[in-house]
Amino acid sequence: MDSSKLKRLVRNIFKLNIRQKLILTYVLIVALPLAILQVNAFYRVRIMTEKEYINNVNFEVSKLKNDVVRNVEQFIKATQFILNNQEFIEFVSTYQERSIDEIFSFKVNVLDKIEYLQYVNFNINRIRFFTNNYFIPEMWPTLYQIERLKSFKFIDRFLSDTKQTSLWKLNNTDILGPPLNNEEKVVSLYTKVTDLVGNLIGIIEVNMKVDEFFASELSRESDNSVTIVISDDGDVIFSKQTPAFLKRLNISSKKLIEILEKKSTAQEDEGIVHLKINKNSAAFVYTSIPALNIKLYKLILFDELAQKINGITLQMLGQVLILIIASSILIFILITLILKKLRQVILSMRAVENGNFDVSIDIKGDDEIDELAQHFLNMVEKLKILIGEMVRREVAQKDAQIKALQSQINAHFIYNVLENIKMMAEYSENYDVSDAITKLGKMMRYNMSWKRKFVTLKEEIENIQNYISLMNIRYDKEIKLLVNVDNEILNIEVPKLILQPIVENAINYGIEPKGEGGSIFIDGSIIGNYIVISIIDDGLGIEEEKLVAIQTALENDTEAECYQGQGIALKNVNERIKLAYGKEFGIKIDSKFGEFTKVTITLPYNRF
């Protein structure tokens, strides 16, 4: 999707009403992810089920391998038993006529032990010895003439190979088993017996039925798996259900063997391989048995398993879809009911926008929409009050402008008169009076000129210095002013006349009642992101009860009796600072009766 189509889609979404947006949000955030998670969950279940299925098959193959190895050990033990039986070897290797008694003794004392060994190892089908000694008669079912094996071509190759001492034959035909010539399929181990100079004495055969040798795995029926044994010599043994399995796969046995050998050639001696056979999802587990030079394969199909899981998946997805549709309808109804209240609020807002403040909303509950409606009604009431106050302020501002014009006229007259008096004092060489008039003029200009509502802190301090100089003319006792302000904040603009009311309070209510003169200390510094200005006097201080009342009134911005008198100046300054900078700024007062009073002004400081 290109950027223009995406932008158009976003615009169309924003054009939807809030009900449609909420439904869309539910679908995108809840319904769609829920469906995706459901599909993903079943996919994972399928993978885990297949993995568990393969693990079970792998366990079965490992168990089958162990059973085959145990059977191989039984074959070897039975063969070694005969090879280690010196009486037997000596008897069959002596080429001479034997009496009836000798043959009977051999049968009872030697041959019967071999037959007993066969009965003890009940998995072993037959233990036979094919002798090359024509002087010994055949003694069924253990002793036979070697001529009986000459019809097997593999025996000829085995006998002609001087280096090969033993031979495993997986899919052998037991033509000597009872009843005679029933051609039972067995696994046989043939072992040559030679004398000291290498002459052939005979061949030992130990065999076991194929199904029993492979732990009945080949006879076990299963719709989804088949077991195949392939030897390095090309012998192949299929399990009982192989024909039906091949028909299901629509593949020949030869082609299946080619696939198995090709897929496992590059692998280790054992492993697990996933593959597709004519669009059928399958896997096979294989392992090697070096003693027999064979590989065991167990092939499994996942189609039936996948069909069951897919059926469950579709069923669950259908249930989820029904749940999503039902919940969507329920959410639509709930949203409609909720937005009905919001619609009332919107209509009331439009009425207020058109100038009609006489609105009402039926509020019955305590949810967020009801709370919004209540806040809206409260806002409308406050708007009515604020509009009334704005009208009163406009009227008051007009009056103030008229009075300001009048005060400017009066101030101009007073400045001229003071200038004439100053000249008269200088003419009379009364320089103290001249300096006092100069400072008074500066104070009057500073206090009466309101063209600027903000001045620099330096100008405020200069005004305080002029004020203290004039107050020292009035009082007999000297008032000392100590200023310690960081140079960095001297040019910072502050609200005009925020220091003089506090200094005036310090003199009128602190130093003057003490009657001993005093000191006023002004400190200004930067603390973090704040400018902190402290005005400290060593005057009479404030009584504790009155101090608490002033502090409470300043913190809560309320009226109090203590504002009558010295508190009114503090209230005025505090309100002006809060209006200019915010409620977190203002003044704080601290005092100890009979010792000092400290007023702290906190203003914002912007370093950039």
Side-chain angles (χ1 to χ4, degrees):
M1 183 181 294
D2 56 22
S3 59
S4 60
K5 291 183 179 179
L6 182 61
K7 290 180 180 178
R8 188 161 55 251
L9 177 62
V10 173
R11 284 197 300 269
N12 292 334
I13 291 175
F14 279 110
K15 289 179 182 179
L16 299 175
N17 59 45
I18 191 169
R19 180 189 292 108
Q20 293 169 334
K21 288 178 181 177
L22 289 173
I23 295 295
L24 180 62
T25 301
Y26 166 75
V27 172
L28 294 178
I29 295 179
V30 178
L32 187 59
L34 181 61
I36 294 174
L37 288 174
Q38 191 73 17
V39 173
N40 184 60
F42 279 106
Y43 174 75
R44 290 181 177 275
V45 168
R46 176 177 178 176
I47 297 299
M48 290 177 63
T49 304
E50 290 181 358
K51 186 177 180 180
E52 185 67 24
Y53 193 23
I54 291 175
N55 288 338
N56 291 336
V57 171
N58 191 33
F59 174 77
E60 291 175 3
V61 171
S62 297
K63 184 177 181 300
L64 174 59
K65 178 179 179 179
N66 293 333
D67 292 340
V68 171
V69 170
R70 280 196 298 271
N71 290 333
V72 169
E73 291 174 354
Q74 286 189 16
F75 274 52
I76 295 173
K77 287 179 180 179
T79 302
Q80 289 297 325
F81 179 81
I82 297 175
L83 291 174
N84 294 331
N85 192 325
Q86 294 298 324
E87 290 184 69
F88 179 84
I89 299 299
E90 183 179 349
F91 186 86
V92 297
S93 61
T94 302
Y95 292 87
Q96 64 182 20
E97 291 287 345
R98 301 286 183 156
S99 65
I100 299 296
D101 293 336
E102 288 177 329
I103 293 173
F104 180 77
S105 176
F106 171 74
K107 173 70 172 67
V108 173
N109 297 323
V110 179
L111 206 57
D112 286 351
K113 292 180 180 179
I114 296 175
E115 293 178 7
Y116 178 75
L117 176 65
Q118 174 182 313
Y119 298 139
V120 171
N121 295 278
F122 57 88
N123 284 340
I124 294 177
N125 184 48
R126 288 288 180 265
I127 300 176
R128 299 191 180 103
F129 185 83
F130 295 91
T131 179
N132 202 23
N133 191 341
Y134 294 99
F135 294 100
I136 302 175
E138 290 185 340
M139 300 179 194
W140 288 27
T142 304
L143 188 60
Y144 299 87
Q145 289 294 326
I146 199 169
E147 293 296 330
R148 291 185 178 273
L149 297 177
K150 294 297 180 69
S151 61
F152 297 103
K153 292 182 179 180
F154 67 87
I155 292 294
D156 290 336
R157 291 193 298 270
F158 175 55
L159 293 176
S160 61
D161 188 349
T162 57
K163 295 182 180 180
Q164 189 175 10
T165 59
S166 61
L167 171 67
W168 284 96
K169 194 64 178 174
L170 295 182
N171 200 12
N172 197 18
T173 302
D174 187 5
I175 62 172
L176 301 177
L180 195 61
N181 298 324
N182 67 347
E183 297 186 354
E184 189 173 31
K185 294 297 181 180
V186 293
V187 175
S188 300
L189 171 61
Y190 295 96
T191 305
K192 295 178 183 177
V193 181
T194 59
D195 58 18
L196 296 177
V197 295
N199 295 319
L200 181 67
I201 297 174
I203 296 175
I204 301 172
E205 178 193 8
V206 180
N207 68 41
M208 185 181 294
K209 293 179 182 179
V210 170
D211 289 342
E212 294 181 1
F213 186 83
F214 291 101
S216 301
E217 178 67 25
L218 298 175
S219 62
R220 185 179 300 132
E221 294 186 359
S222 173
D223 294 334
N224 295 318
S225 65
V226 64
T227 303
I228 302 172
V229 181
I230 304 175
S231 72
D232 293 346
D233 296 333
D235 289 339
V236 180
I237 303 176
F238 292 101
S239 56
K240 184 178 180 180
Q241 69 274 21
T242 302
F245 200 83
L246 293 174
K247 185 177 180 181
R248 181 176 174 185
L249 291 177
N250 192 22
I251 192 173
S252 66
S253 59
K254 182 178 179 181
K255 183 63 176 176
L256 178 60
I257 292 171
E258 290 177 359
I259 293 173
L260 296 178
E261 289 182 334
K262 181 179 178 181
K263 292 291 184 179
S264 60
T265 298
Q267 303 292 333
E268 301 294 333
D269 290 337
E270 59 183 21
I272 301 171
V273 178
H274 293 265
L275 71 163
K276 285 276 188 180
I277 302 178
N278 291 338
K279 298 182 180 180
N280 294 290
S281 178
F284 68 85
V285 179
Y286 71 94
T287 186
S288 300
I289 303 178
L292 299 177
N293 292 324
I294 65 171
K295 278 188 178 179
L296 297 174
Y297 295 88
K298 185 154 188 179
L299 178 66
I300 54 176
L301 288 178
F302 295 122
D303 291 345
E304 185 175 342
L305 180 65
Q307 289 176 1
K308 291 180 180 179
I309 295 176
N310 290 337
I312 297 174
T313 302
L314 291 175
Q315 182 181 359
M316 293 301 295
L317 284 178
Q319 295 176 359
V320 171
L321 182 61
I322 294 173
L323 178 63
I324 290 174
I325 294 173
S327 59
S328 298
I329 295 173
L330 179 61
I331 289 175
F332 178 81
I333 296 172
L334 291 175
I335 290 174
T336 301
L337 294 175
I338 293 172
L339 294 182
K340 183 178 180 181
K341 297 180 182 178
L342 186 59
R343 182 68 179 171
Q344 294 178 358
V345 176
I346 293 173
L347 293 175
S348 299
M349 287 181 176
R350 290 177 180 173
V352 172
E353 183 181 8
N354 293 327
N356 180 15
F357 289 88
D358 295 326
V359 295
S360 62
I361 301 173
D362 186 15
I363 301 175
K364 296 181 180 179
D366 296 324
D367 59 17
E368 288 78 1
I369 302 297
D370 292 316
E371 185 178 357
L372 175 64
Q374 186 61 56
H375 287 308
F376 172 73
L377 293 178
N378 295 339
M379 183 188 70
V380 171
E381 290 299 321
K382 289 184 179 180
L383 280 174
K384 291 180 181 178
I385 297 172
L386 289 174
I387 290 172
E389 289 182 354
M390 287 179 63
V391 172
R392 289 193 294 272
R393 286 181 182 178
E394 289 291 333
V395 175
Q397 186 175 3
K398 295 296 182 182
D399 292 340
Q401 289 177 350
I402 295 173
K403 291 180 181 179
L405 292 173
Q406 293 174 348
S407 66
Q408 288 178 1
I409 297 173
N410 295 334
H412 184 70
F413 172 74
I414 293 173
Y415 297 155
N416 291 334
V417 171
L418 288 175
E419 188 66 24
N420 290 333
I421 295 173
K422 174 187 174 184
M423 293 176 63
M424 291 173 62
E426 290 179 349
Y427 183 77
S428 302
E429 297 183 352
N430 193 343
Y431 296 109
D432 290 339
V433 175
S434 175
D435 291 340
I437 292 173
T438 299
K439 292 176 180 179
L440 177 61
K442 289 181 179 180
M443 278 194 62
M444 291 184 65
R445 285 191 182 92
Y446 186 81
N447 291 345
M448 300 178 69
S449 176
W450 283 91
K451 292 181 180 180
R452 293 185 301 157
K453 293 183 179 180
F454 287 83
V455 297
T456 63
L457 183 59
K458 182 178 180 181
E459 291 175 313
E460 272 288 285
I461 292 174
E462 289 176 352
N463 183 56
I464 295 300
Q465 290 171 338
N466 292 330
Y467 176 73
I468 294 297
S469 298
L470 292 174
M471 293 305 294
N472 281 332
I473 296 174
R474 176 183 173 188
Y475 295 111
D476 294 335
K477 305 296 181 179
E478 182 181 5
I479 299 174
K480 295 179 180 179
L481 177 65
L482 304 174
V483 179
N484 180 28
V485 178
D486 292 350
N487 292 329
E488 190 176 348
I489 62 174
L490 284 175
N491 293 321
I492 296 293
E493 289 193 343
V494 298
K496 187 176 181 179
L497 290 176
I498 62 170
L499 297 183
Q500 183 181 327
I502 299 173
V503 172
E504 190 174 347
N505 259 10
I507 295 173
N508 294 336
Y509 299 102
I511 296 175
E512 184 180 1
K514 202 170 182 180
E516 299 176 356
S519 300
I520 296 176
F521 177 65
I522 299 177
D523 177 79
S525 59
I526 300 170
I527 301 177
N529 294 323
Y530 301 95
I531 297 174
V532 180
I533 302 172
S534 299
I535 300 96
I536 307 170
D537 68 79
D538 58 357
L540 188 62
I542 305 173
E543 297 176 355
E544 183 175 356
E545 183 179 352
K546 191 173 184 181
L547 175 65
V548 171
I550 293 175
Q551 290 173 336
T552 302
L554 290 175
E555 290 175 359
N556 299 327
D557 194 21
T558 57
E559 298 289 346
E561 293 181 359
C562 62
Y563 280 133
Q564 305 302 322
Q566 72 182 98
I568 194 169
L570 299 177
K571 176 178 182 292
N572 179 269
V573 173
N574 191 53
E575 287 181 349
R576 287 170 58 208
I577 292 174
K578 290 183 180 297
L579 288 173
Y581 300 113
K583 293 185 177 181
E584 66 269 28
F585 303 99
I587 67 173
K588 292 184 179 180
I589 184 170
D590 191 21
S591 180
K592 187 172 183 180
F593 187 68
E595 294 186 11
F596 73 92
T597 299
K598 177 182 178 180
V599 177
T600 302
I601 301 174
T602 303
L603 304 174
Y605 174 64
N606 187 359
R607 296 178 183 271
F608 306 101

